[in-house]
Amino acid sequence: MRRYGKHTDEDDIRSRPNRKGNRPRTHIRPKHEDAVEGMVLTVDRGRLTCLVEDRVVMAMKARELGRKAAVVGDTVAIVGDLTGDKDTLARIVRIEERSSVLRRTADDDDPFERVVVANADQLAIVTALADPEPRPRLIDRCLVAAFDGGLTPLLVLTKADLAAPDGLLALYGDLDIPYVVTSREELESGGAADRVREHLHGRITAFVGHSGVGKTTLVNALVPLDRRRSTGHVNAVTGRGRHTTTSALALPLDDGDGWVVDTPGVRSFGLAHIDPSRVINAFPDLVPGTENCPRACSHDEQDCALDAWVAEGHADPARLYSLRRLLATRDRKEGD
Ligand SMILES: Nc1nc2c(ncn2[C@@H]2O[C@H](COP(=O)(O)OP(=O)(O)OP(=O)(O)O)[C@@H](O)[C@H]2O)c(=O)[nH]1
Ligand SMILES: [Mg+2]
Ligand SMILES: [Zn+2]
């Protein structure tokens, strides 16, 4: 897991011997040698709350960053007033390379893609078993976004006190995705938090799902008391959540061994930006079967070599079916 607060170290660039003996390579010298590293915890209208060492520092983007936006989870280089004192505002001068990106678009036709969270290791896809009703299509879409963005998925099925998880679990059995089922009772006893926590150690986990499924309720059970956020209600008539959470926020786990990122509920998870050829990487057992595929095969087309390969008995047909279902989710509308 990354550590924060180190001085960004680019000495290796500066001290590289200049073999040709011509002009010093000043042009590659980093502009902000005094910058320190921070982690973006939340973003509110251009103001970024960052963790620098053990201080919470408010910062804004330096003009030189241009249109590039820092998001929750980003590692950034910060200069200026880093005391964290009231009314101070530091400047973010660089966004470090991301190890993962969770992206979504508002819908599949929307060319504007937003990065929801950077550097998360795991995507907790939170679905209520009832109230609101589970919508497998959204789960499939989140899985595709996770596989595309380099995050490991974790299924979290909440509200087991209202409905049984069997049907939904059967749908995902062939995908071999780790899952946790929680209920009101287990939230209250602490059992839910304990079982979810087992999957969170040493990782940054982003929680996503529809409004009202219980993301914030769960995150609250995992973080120290003084960090709790407000939770909402589900409308008894429409069965929808109230979009109680309006911004993503990274919070350290109460045992200090990992981070959780609570995010606002989504209505849909647009996949306009997804590269279907990356989704196959989430199915390592099927990858060898793609050797004879046509170039740039989407693996969801007539000439795909996977059908014949699976028919020869090299892999479980259920796995290919699951892959195809995920690939097809991009072409179908949310409510199908
Ligand atoms: N019965 C039952 N209710 C739950 C459970 N978990 C959460 N809830 C309730 O579901 C409602 C919505 O919970 P939130 O945590 O605000 O949901 P959210 O996913 O954060 O919603 P948004 O912030 O709007 O995206 C609250 O009234 C919770 O008390 C559960 O396991 N069982
Ligand atoms: Mg919430
Ligand atoms: Zn193929």
Side-chain angles (χ1 to χ4, degrees):
M1 164 143 222
R2 289 166 305 134
R3 265 185 272 141
Y4 300 101
K6 280 183 308 179
H7 283 266
T8 48
D9 185 10
E10 295 188 46
D11 289 344
D12 51 341
I13 298 174
R14 264 175 281 138
S15 60
R16 194 180 294 162
N18 191 345
R19 265 176 284 148
K20 287 192 183 147
N22 45 19
R23 278 188 300 139
R25 311 211 288 180
T26 45
H27 59 288
I28 58 161
R29 185 176 293 176
K31 248 166 127 185
H32 298 283
E33 292 173 23
D34 54 345
V36 296
E37 201 172 87
M39 175 190 180
V40 178
L41 302 180
T42 193
V43 183
D44 180 17
R45 280 161 295 172
R47 295 286 158 102
L48 296 99
T49 308
C50 303
L51 183 69
V52 177
E53 288 164 2
D54 56 356
R55 296 185 307 282
V56 173
V57 172
M58 294 300 289
M60 59 183 288
K61 230 171 64 170
R63 194 180 301 153
E64 63 208 72
L65 275 183
R67 290 172 59 189
K68 208 173 168 204
V71 301
V72 174
D74 259 325
T75 303
V76 290
I78 313 181
V79 298
D81 190 333
L82 301 170
T83 57
D85 293 344
K86 198 167 170 280
D87 296 330
T88 58
L89 194 58
R91 277 184 311 130
I92 293 175
V93 292
R94 194 167 59 241
I95 302 169
E96 306 296 356
E97 204 181 315
R98 294 165 174 164
S99 62
S100 75
V101 274
L102 177 66
R103 298 188 193 84
R104 66 180 275 257
T105 49
D107 62 53
D108 286 348
D109 306 319
D110 180 4
F112 184 73
E113 89 177 39
R114 52 214 91 198
V115 176
V116 186
V117 182
N119 297 322
D121 307 289
Q122 184 166 243
L123 185 65
I125 303 167
V126 187
T127 305
L129 291 160
D131 199 15
E133 281 308 305
R135 299 230 300 270
R137 193 68 58 215
L138 184 80
I139 304 178
D140 288 352
R141 288 171 159 267
C142 291
L143 286 172
V144 171
F147 294 148
D148 178 75
L151 292 84
T152 313
L154 169 70
L155 274 185
V156 181
L157 306 181
T158 62
K159 311 199 188 186
D161 47 301
L162 304 179
D166 312 58
L168 210 55
L169 285 176
L171 211 50
Y172 292 93
D174 294 321
L175 283 169
D176 286 331
I177 298 164
Y179 67 87
V180 184
V181 181
T182 67
S183 66
R184 165 77 70 205
E185 198 179 38
E186 288 170 304
L187 277 169
E188 279 155 17
S189 70
D194 288 346
R195 275 185 301 114
V196 174
R197 201 181 282 108
E198 279 174 27
H199 296 269
L200 308 181
H201 292 298
R203 309 167 99 173
I204 301 180
T205 303
F207 287 70
V208 300
H210 281 131
S211 178
V213 295
K215 300 178 292 297
T216 304
T217 305
L218 201 54
V219 163
N220 280 348
L222 293 162
V223 304
L225 269 178
D226 59 331
R227 313 263 171 142
R228 295 201 169 166
R229 313 184 89 186
S230 17
T231 57
H233 295 280
V234 174
N235 185 306
V237 179
T238 63
R240 289 200 178 158
R242 297 191 172 182
H243 292 273
T244 307
T245 305
T246 54
S247 59
L249 174 66
L251 293 160
L253 288 175
D254 56 6
D255 58 8
D257 185 23
W259 290 81
V260 286
V261 182
D262 184 24
T263 70
V266 293
R267 289 189 181 85
S268 61
F269 211 100
L271 297 175
H273 57 283
I274 295 292
D275 175 358
S277 63
R278 280 200 295 244
V279 176
I280 180 78
N281 295 326
F283 292 78
D285 48 333
L286 299 181
V287 169
T290 62
E291 242 166 59
N292 296 323
C293 282
R295 267 175 60 132
C297 182
S298 70
H299 309 307
D300 191 22
E301 54 193 69
Q302 202 113 66
D303 298 336
C304 179
L306 277 168
D307 300 81
W309 188 78
V310 168
E312 284 164 21
H314 296 289
D316 184 350
R319 292 279 293 167
L320 180 56
Y321 176 78
S322 296
L323 169 70
R324 292 271 160 79
R325 193 180 81 204
L326 293 191
L327 290 172
T329 191
R330 200 183 167 289
D331 304 321
R332 274 187 229 133
K333 289 285 170 235
E334 194 88 10
D336 293 358

